[in-house]
Amino acid sequence: MTRVLLAAVVALTQLATAQRIGSIPEIHPQLQTWKCSSQNGCIKHNSSVVLDALSHPLHAAGNASVSCTDGQNGSSKELCVTKESCAKNCVLDGVDYASHGVHTAADRLILHQYQKSNGGVSAVSPRVYLLDESGKNYDMLQLLNQEISFDVELSSLVCGMNGALYLSEMLQSGGRNKLNPAGAQYGTGYCDAQCPTSSWINGVANTESLGACCNEMDLWESNARATALTPHSCNTTRLYACKGDDCGSNGVCDKSGCGFNPYALGEKDYYGYNMTVDTNKRFTVVTQFITDDHTAGGNLSEIRRLYVQNGKVIQNAVAEVSGSEVDSINESLCANSASSFQRLGGLKQMGNALRRGMVLIFSIWNDSDQFMSWLDSGDAGPCNSTEGNPDLIQAQHPETSVTFSNIRWGDIGSTYSHKKTR
Ligand SMILES: *[C@@H]1O[C@H](CO)[C@@H](O)[C@H](O)[C@H]1NC(C)=O
Ligand SMILES: *[C@@H]1O[C@H](CO)[C@@H](O)[C@H](O)[C@H]1NC(C)=O
Ligand SMILES: *[C@@H]1O[C@H](CO)[C@@H](O)[C@H](O)[C@H]1NC(C)=O
Ligand SMILES: *[C@@H]1O[C@H](CO)[C@@H](O)[C@H](O)[C@H]1NC(C)=O
Ligand SMILES: *[C@@H]1O[C@H](CO)[C@@H](O)[C@H](O)[C@H]1NC(C)=O
Ligand SMILES: *[C@@H]1O[C@H](CO)[C@@H](O)[C@H](O)[C@H]1NC(C)=O
Ligand SMILES: *[C@@H]1O[C@H](CO)[C@@H](O)[C@H](O)[C@H]1NC(C)=O
Ligand SMILES: *[C@@H]1O[C@H](CO)[C@@H](O)[C@H](O)[C@H]1NC(C)=O
Ligand SMILES: CC(=O)N[C@H]1CO[C@H](CO)[C@@H](O)[C@@H]1O
């Protein structure tokens, strides 16, 4: 009896001291998507998107003007000395999506890099995650032996910009627990193969400055001039909090990846304004995850890409690598790449993550350090080494944006070829 009572008191105390959800409600923009199958075509899926937790105000419980994120390493010295005190003292509020550059309409998602404010512009660089129909958890896409398609309009994404659509092996709940009751509903739990260090890991104060590593499948990192399709595998399953050498370039995740960028592979007239895939206009991007036995129980053996524009299917660029023609990502291409992809598990490990389920992420961003040259300049693309400078982009192209729409996933061949939708 006493023990039961004591347990109840402890539970109540924990509830009362857990990081709370603030009084400003979070209203997720709805984004219509489709789940497809060979037998039934495509069926509407009522999903929505949530901005990353870092875009949500985190402030003192009871006083919205006292921030919990204004101190050293992104969290307040007084309120966030420990994980527990941070959770106890701070609340997360909802945000206005339009003022963060995020707009949806039916099946369309529009992301803007800049937001007009007080006569000037400021960078907002939104990153959003797809939520399931409950709106409480992430949608876990299981894409092994499946394909995913989306339409993209990126004619205003100039050199130096990146409109990205990708998958990371985040937790379905965003790491919801007693120190993080908000969870996926407030965009917690981000991780990727670069092992980023942020103020939070799974929504809990990152007091040891760890990195958040997980398998990442970059379906689309592109602007109007260059495009890359890149799996990045890690030798861990789900989010791994790295420390020291584990976070480095020889650590648990392959930071460079085994990529397919047509320009980098020598096909310089394939993708861009007025090229085979014409980035002046909207087009459909299809990515297929083929296994060695053509079932979801097999090992990922190939990642295929094709495009559809003006009603015509456009096969992927065919490049010559070490004397053979290559139009997809397979073990041979990855064995030739200099990265540590193979050592950290390669396609097989990427396939395991795709089988377990990954979260769909959309973002728009720029790059003050490298001007995105790894994507679109030098050997990678036609842009010169300075035009991707964010200061130039902000001054000359403040309207730069990307629109993703018509997002569908399901059986190979079911998402793009004149299939009826209902
Ligand atoms: C999706 O939303 C529409 C309109 O709100 C509703 O009619 C439909 O039943 C929903 N579909 C599912 C699968 O929940
Ligand atoms: C909230 O914090 C601000 C800044 O420290 C302070 O000026 C104000 O009095 C506080 N408001 C309340 C209601 O405590
Ligand atoms: C901030 O960084 C300092 C020094 O690295 C560390 O001692 C402290 O625990 C960190 N605090 C938080 C909340 O991350
Ligand atoms: C993952 O890679 C790291 C760095 O190479 C290594 O130290 C670790 O043992 C590997 N872990 C597994 C499970 O293979
Ligand atoms: C693309 O072609 C159109 C006409 O088809 C032309 O007006 C435009 O200048 C071309 N754009 C570029 C960047 O070459
Ligand atoms: C997948 O690869 C493992 C070895 O890594 C092998 O044992 C297994 O038979 C393969 N599965 C299929 C379906 O090829
Ligand atoms: C990868 O694709 C190339 C080009 O089609 C082919 O020559 C090669 O044999 C493939 N490698 C594997 C391991 O299937
Ligand atoms: C890079 O391209 C921009 C825009 O086309 C041009 O203004 C600039 O002079 C170029 N810089 C160099 C170093 O070629
Ligand atoms: C990640 C990054 O470098 N973002 C930059 C984007 O550009 C704005 C200015 O336009 C910078 O303030 C950001 O730091």
Side-chain angles (χ1 to χ4, degrees):
M1 184 66 183
T2 320
R3 283 178 63 165
V4 171
L5 265 179
L6 188 62
V9 170
V10 171
L12 273 175
T13 315
Q14 281 168 349
L15 269 182
T17 59
Q19 167 192 300
R20 275 150 291 167
I21 290 168
S23 52
I24 301 175
E26 169 81 352
I27 300 164
H28 299 134
Q30 297 297 307
L31 178 66
Q32 183 79 69
T33 55
W34 279 270
K35 284 187 174 175
C36 309
S37 68
S38 308
Q39 297 207 321
N40 299 319
C42 296
I43 293 169
K44 279 183 180 173
H45 182 56
N46 292 336
S47 34
S48 58
V49 293
V50 60
L51 268 164
D52 184 89
L54 290 171
S55 299
H56 291 79
L58 184 76
H59 59 79
N63 193 336
S65 43
V66 178
S67 168
C68 285
T69 60
D70 60 355
Q72 190 191 11
N73 39 12
S75 44
S76 155
K77 258 189 246 165
E78 295 76 30
L79 298 169
C80 282
V81 178
T82 63
K83 296 174 166 62
E84 291 74 17
S85 65
C86 198
K88 178 182 163 206
N89 294 330
C90 301
V91 299
L92 267 172
D93 265 332
V95 283
D96 170 38
Y97 278 73
S99 69
H100 284 266
V102 179
H103 301 266
T104 64
D107 71 358
R108 246 180 326 145
L109 170 68
I110 306 162
L111 301 177
H112 280 269
Q113 172 66 16
Y114 296 103
Q115 185 66 27
K116 286 202 182 82
S117 59
N118 306 326
V121 294
S122 56
V124 282
S125 216
R127 183 171 73 210
V128 300
Y129 312 123
L130 191 70
L131 289 167
D132 68 11
E133 295 193 330
S134 77
K136 293 195 162 62
N137 288 312
Y138 297 128
D139 222 330
M140 300 305 281
L141 275 64
Q142 296 178 300
L143 295 179
L144 193 61
N145 191 39
Q146 302 272 290
E147 69 182 22
I148 178 166
S149 305
F150 57 88
D151 292 358
V152 63
E153 200 292 309
L154 44 50
S155 56
S156 70
L157 279 185
V158 293
C159 290
M161 289 303 303
N162 191 334
L165 187 156
Y166 61 110
L167 300 155
S168 273
E169 197 177 9
M170 296 157 63
L171 294 175
Q172 181 166 25
S173 69
R176 185 181 294 111
N177 68 19
K178 70 181 197 304
L179 295 180
N180 172 25
Q185 228 174 328
Y186 284 74
T188 66
Y190 184 70
C191 55
D192 67 34
Q194 305 302 319
C195 302
T197 302
S198 102
S199 310
W200 318 99
I201 288 195
N202 272 335
V204 175
N206 182 11
T207 51
E208 298 131 278
S209 298
L210 305 175
C213 308
C214 63
N215 288 294
E216 174 184 350
M217 177 65 232
D218 293 333
L219 299 164
W220 192 248
E221 287 190 290
S222 309
N223 55 39
R225 313 297 298 282
T227 183
L229 165 67
T230 317
H232 295 269
S233 62
C234 307
N235 70 1
T236 61
T237 59
R238 300 210 171 81
L239 193 154
Y240 173 83
C242 68
K243 197 173 190 170
D245 286 351
D246 274 355
C247 305
S249 51
N250 290 318
V252 299
C253 293
D254 174 33
K255 298 188 173 189
S256 355
C258 168
F260 193 104
N261 168 339
Y263 189 103
L265 293 172
E267 295 307 302
K268 302 188 173 178
D269 300 324
Y270 180 76
Y271 177 92
Y273 294 128
N274 293 353
M275 296 194 183
T276 307
V277 175
D278 182 359
T279 56
N280 282 309
K281 290 172 251 162
R282 185 160 54 93
F283 53 91
T284 303
V285 180
V286 184
T287 311
Q288 303 174 323
F289 297 99
I290 315 286
T291 62
D292 52 2
D293 67 355
H294 299 282
T295 75
N299 295 315
L300 178 64
S301 58
E302 192 181 16
I303 303 174
R304 296 199 62 80
R305 160 62 50 82
L306 54 89
Y307 298 91
V308 185
Q309 191 166 39
N310 299 325
K312 285 197 203 103
V313 173
I314 304 171
Q315 296 303 325
N316 197 19
V318 182
E320 198 177 302
V321 179
S322 313
S324 57
E325 293 194 329
V326 173
D327 67 352
S328 68
I329 293 173
N330 70 7
E331 293 290 354
S332 310
L333 181 76
C334 297
N336 279 326
S337 88
S339 77
S340 43
F341 185 69
Q342 301 290 61
R343 180 173 61 79
L344 294 168
L347 286 180
K348 182 164 183 255
Q349 176 68 352
M350 194 77 252
N352 290 340
L354 290 163
R355 183 191 291 112
R356 287 187 292 262
M358 299 177 83
V359 175
L360 189 61
I361 303 169
F362 310 87
S363 74
I364 182 170
W365 57 289
N366 56 10
D367 179 358
S368 302
D369 297 332
Q370 297 179 55
F371 302 166
M372 218 64 81
S373 58
W374 58 271
L375 172 68
D376 63 19
S377 165
D379 289 342
C383 304
N384 75 32
S385 60
T386 53
E387 60 190 317
N389 182 340
D391 294 339
L392 289 179
I393 301 171
Q394 177 164 350
Q396 293 171 3
H397 305 280
E399 79 300 339
T400 186
S401 71
V402 61
T403 301
F404 294 112
S405 59
N406 210 6
I407 298 151
R408 291 145 290 164
W409 63 93
D411 295 337
I412 306 273
S414 70
T415 68
Y416 68 94
S417 53
H418 313 292
K419 285 287 189 297
K420 285 201 186 86
T421 56
R422 60 185 167 94

